[in-house]
């Protein structure tokens, strides 16, 4: 079977939701580059096979060795563990798991693909939250990541941003709407661009005088009334340090969304 006809045949079966185990087995030796299992995994009735049986076919050594794009968009997994079946596909560069119902465990099962993976779409999976961040940090070669519509919040994004800044990475990212709204309103969270004598470096908070600490905190409190500018010196040091650390990482997230270099962001 010619390469073009093999891919075309696969695309037709995929669109009809008929990529069952028998069909995939018949195409195992073809030079296929893209596969969409989403329509097949949306319905387990009729000719469609349960996802577990279907995905087992992908785990056979040497099968689908030219596949670089794999989509499950809109399909449903019986269990996150089903994703272990794609781990042998070490050459995969793009994985789309939008609206598949997977959770944090599923993200961890993808880590074995980190060397070649460039595009990862996890959008509209509400069970994915900040606990998936340690796995996402390991994908150092990504060029695109979508966590839009997930349960990831700003603490998780800041942790991801810190790792990205340390690794000097730049890639496109789509984040949950609630996080977008927060980033769009940073100027309401704290004094976004402090001018001297106000500080932006959190590491020097401990050497400031109590008066300087009070001035810095008061400046931030003038923007956000929930910020308390008083307390003991130790309390003020910790509070200002946390504000400035949060600000720094928020700016990294902001730069990441704009596709800008995150290295050296401080002021």
């Amino acid at each position: 079977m010619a390469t073009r006809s093999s891919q075309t045949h696969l695309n037709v079966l995929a669109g009809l939701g008929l990529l069952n185990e028998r069909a995939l087995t018949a195409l195992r030796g073809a030079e296929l580059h893209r596969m969409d299992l989403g329509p097949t995994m949306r319905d387990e009735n009729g000719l469609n096979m349960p996802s577990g049986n279907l995905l087992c076919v992908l785990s056979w050594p040497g099968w689908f060795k030219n596949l670089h794009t794999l989509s499950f968009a809109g399909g449903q997994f019986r269990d996150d563990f089903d994703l272990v079946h794609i781990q042998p596909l070490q050459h995969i560069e793009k994985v789309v798991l939008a609206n598949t119902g997977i959770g944090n465990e599923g993200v961890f099962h993808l880590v074995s693909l980190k060397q070649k993976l460039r595009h990862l779409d996890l959008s509209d999976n509400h069970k994915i939250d900040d606990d998936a961040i340690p796995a996402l940090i390991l994908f150092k070669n990504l060029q695109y990541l979508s966590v839009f519509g997930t349960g990831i919040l700003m603490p998780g994004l800041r942790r991801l941003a810190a790792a990205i800044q340390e690794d000097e990475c730049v890639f496109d990212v789509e984040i949950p709407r609630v996080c977008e709204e927060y980033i769009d309103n940073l100027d309401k969270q704290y004094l976004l661009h402090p001018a001297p004598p106000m500080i932006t470096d959190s590491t020097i908070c401990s050497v400031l005088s109590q008066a300087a600490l009070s001035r810095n905190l008061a400046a931030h409190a003038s923007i956000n009334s929930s910020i308390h500018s008083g307390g003991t010196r130790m309390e003020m040091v910790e509070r200002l340090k946390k504000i400035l650390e949060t600000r720094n990482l928020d700016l990294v997230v902001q730069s990441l969304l704009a596709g800008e270099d995150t290295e050296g962001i401080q002021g």
Side-chain angles (χ1 to χ4, degrees):
M1 188 180 292
T3 300
R4 179 174 295 178
S5 62
S6 297
Q7 184 67 62
T8 301
H9 188 198
L10 178 76
N11 293 345
V12 170
L13 291 174
L16 294 171
L18 300 178
L19 280 181
N20 54 34
E21 187 176 4
R22 178 178 296 180
L24 288 180
T25 301
L27 291 165
R28 67 188 182 278
E31 189 171 339
L32 304 170
H33 301 288
R34 301 172 303 280
M35 184 183 296
D36 183 2
L37 290 168
T40 297
M41 293 172 60
R42 285 174 199 152
D43 177 16
E44 295 184 357
N45 296 319
L47 295 174
N48 294 343
M49 298 291 290
S51 61
N53 293 345
L54 184 65
L55 297 182
C56 284
V57 178
L58 300 179
S59 64
W60 282 86
W63 289 19
F64 308 106
K65 61 183 179 180
N66 296 304
L67 204 62
H68 60 66
T69 299
L70 187 56
S71 176
F72 302 94
Q76 295 298 307
F77 289 87
R78 296 183 306 179
D79 191 277
D80 283 9
F81 185 77
D82 285 343
L83 281 166
V84 301
H85 296 303
I86 73 171
Q87 290 178 351
L89 302 176
Q90 292 292 306
H91 40 278
I92 288 289
E93 297 179 4
K94 178 177 180 178
V95 174
V96 180
L97 286 156
N99 191 28
T100 52
I102 67 167
N104 298 327
E105 180 186 344
V107 181
F108 279 89
H109 287 316
L110 297 172
V111 170
S112 64
L113 306 178
K114 65 183 180 181
Q115 295 302 326
K116 294 287 187 178
L117 201 62
R118 301 290 183 270
H119 180 117
L120 180 58
D121 186 348
L122 300 171
S123 59
D124 296 320
N125 289 300
H126 306 296
K127 292 189 290 185
I128 295 176
D129 58 27
D130 288 356
D131 289 339
I133 296 299
L136 293 176
I137 286 173
L138 299 175
F139 292 96
K140 300 185 184 298
N141 296 317
L142 284 182
Q143 297 174 355
Y144 172 86
L145 171 67
S146 178
V147 291
F148 180 83
T150 66
I152 290 175
L153 300 174
M154 283 308 302
L157 283 180
R158 292 187 189 110
R159 187 176 179 185
L160 179 62
I164 290 170
Q165 185 180 43
E166 182 177 348
D167 294 332
E168 300 179 14
C169 298
V170 178
F171 60 82
D172 293 332
V173 60
E174 295 185 13
I175 64 175
R177 184 169 285 110
V178 64
C179 298
E180 287 182 352
E181 292 173 354
Y182 174 88
I183 293 296
D184 288 342
N185 291 280
L186 288 185
D187 58 350
K188 297 180 176 63
Q189 306 301 324
Y190 36 67
L191 184 60
L192 187 55
H193 299 294
M198 304 305 163
I199 67 168
T200 59
D201 185 355
S202 63
T203 64
I204 65 172
C205 291
S206 61
V207 301
L208 295 183
S209 67
Q210 187 150 346
L213 288 168
S214 181
R215 282 195 300 271
N216 275 269
L217 286 169
H220 291 291
S222 69
I223 302 298
N224 184 344
S225 60
S226 69
I227 295 174
H228 179 46
S229 60
T232 67
R233 186 177 184 281
M234 183 176 296
E235 290 171 342
M236 294 167 73
V237 166
E238 290 304 313
R239 193 178 310 122
L240 181 58
K241 182 179 178 181
K242 183 176 181 181
I243 290 170
L244 296 179
E245 288 174 343
T246 297
R247 171 188 171 275
N248 178 59
L249 292 176
D250 286 349
L251 289 175
V252 175
V253 174
Q254 186 183 61
S255 295
L256 191 62
L257 292 175
E260 300 171 353
D261 191 350
T262 62
E263 183 180 5
I265 290 179
Q266 188 68 251

